Amino acid sequence: EAGVTQFPSHSVIEKGQTVTLRCDPISGHDNLYWYRRVMGKEIKFLLHFVKESKQDESGMPNNRFLAERTGGTYSTLKVQPAELEDSGVYFCASSQGRLLFDTGELFFGEGSRLTVL
Amino acid sequence: EDKVVQSPLSLVVHEGDTVTLNCSYEVTNFRSLLWYKQEKKAPTFLFMLTSSGIEKKSGRLSSILDKKELFSILNITATQTGDSAVYLCALYYGGSQGNLIFGKGTKLSVKP
């Protein structure tokens, strides 16, 4: 069974440009999460989808960030326009049902590294 | 402010050593504490500790939760080079599922 896959693994863009990150969760997982780790800092929660609905987007930094999950399958996270402080590793994770409450297990992707110059 | 502090940030040991990683926390509404292992890129789940499950063990790894003193430890006995990784501690405080508070992690390097 395929795990959580993220694309691209690394993206280098200039300030002001747009980048779109993609996450494919494990098949059948209704819950999809985005996190970000800025260098030297801890991983921070960005948002949570249940199927195609945003359950919690309290961690989204500002309106330059737009996450979508059309059809409740894969998700995209767009940053437009990108700023220097957006550099970091963006992780996606998925879980099934209320798994987090029962076992604590989130299945993470390998992350997409974003470098903004 | 809710927060998770891990120590040490980095640790180098030799194979066969026993290590203890620390995670202290401050939270207004504790629900569970999670440990993850990040070997290369994707963190993988180790343990979840709750008020009803304050001790967990799996092979050479074990973890305890002290809710009174607000900390958890992750113990690894007879370390192997394959244990080299960043170990992440995260707190679930009862917000939406997945809204975790992470520590910065402890980077463990096990030398042969």
Side-chain angles (χ1 to χ4, degrees):
Chain A
E1 179 182 329
V4 176
T5 57
Q6 293 188 243
F7 178 85
S9 57
H10 190 190
S11 180
V12 181
I13 61 173
E14 292 186 328
K15 176 183 172 180
Q17 291 183 326
T18 297
V19 64
T20 300
L21 310 178
R22 173 173 169 143
C23 169
D24 286 77
I26 291 174
S27 178
H29 282 194
D30 290 338
N31 296 284
L32 186 148
Y33 318 85
W34 283 98
Y35 300 88
R36 176 174 74 171
R37 183 167 194 164
V38 173
M39 187 177 293
K41 302 282 190 180
E42 62 277 7
I43 295 173
K44 293 271 193 183
F45 168 83
L46 296 179
L47 88 161
H48 168 210
F49 282 101
V50 177
K51 295 184 180 178
E52 68 275 8
S53 299
K54 292 176 185 174
Q55 188 75 13
D56 179 359
E57 52 183 331
S58 62
M60 295 288 265
N62 50 60
N63 59 10
R64 295 184 295 102
F65 289 75
L66 176 64
E68 295 180 318
R69 192 183 182 195
T70 307
T73 54
Y74 72 91
S75 174
T76 57
L77 180 64
K78 180 190 287 188
V79 185
Q80 179 182 31
E83 297 289 344
L84 299 179
E85 63 264 27
D86 301 333
S87 296
V89 180
Y90 290 78
F91 289 100
C92 176
S94 70
S95 70
Q96 184 177 23
R98 289 172 57 88
L99 204 64
L100 181 62
F101 295 100
D102 296 327
T103 70
E105 187 160 13
L106 293 176
F107 295 86
F108 281 87
E110 294 192 343
S112 289
R113 179 176 295 277
L114 173 63
T115 301
V116 183
L117 303 176
Chain B
E1 180 184 345
D2 297 339
K3 65 179 180 180
V4 173
V5 178
Q6 292 188 246
S7 64
L9 291 179
S10 180
L11 189 59
V12 180
V13 301
H14 286 95
E15 272 192 318
D17 289 346
T18 292
V19 298
T20 298
L21 311 182
N22 303 288
C23 174
S24 64
Y25 62 89
E26 293 179 23
V27 68
T28 52
N29 181 33
F30 176 89
R31 291 288 295 273
S32 61
L33 187 144
L34 310 166
W35 283 98
Y36 280 80
K37 176 183 181 182
Q38 185 178 17
E39 284 185 74
K40 290 181 181 178
K41 293 186 175 182
T44 55
F45 174 77
L46 293 176
F47 300 119
M48 181 172 79
L49 302 161
T50 66
S51 299
S52 58
I54 60 173
E55 286 190 51
K56 291 288 174 70
K57 182 176 172 62
S58 176
R60 296 178 293 104
L61 276 66
S62 62
S63 183
I64 64 169
L65 172 69
D66 188 324
K67 277 200 66 183
K68 183 178 178 184
E69 300 298 329
L70 308 183
F71 75 88
S72 173
I73 63 169
L74 177 67
N75 224 53
I76 308 175
T77 60
T79 52
Q80 302 171 357
T81 54
D83 295 325
S84 295
V86 174
Y87 290 84
L88 299 166
C89 175
L91 200 67
Y92 176 57
Y93 62 96
S96 72
Q97 186 165 276
N99 194 338
L100 305 174
I101 301 170
F102 283 85
K104 290 185 177 180
T106 293
K107 182 177 180 180
L108 173 66
S109 299
V110 181
K111 296 193 176 302

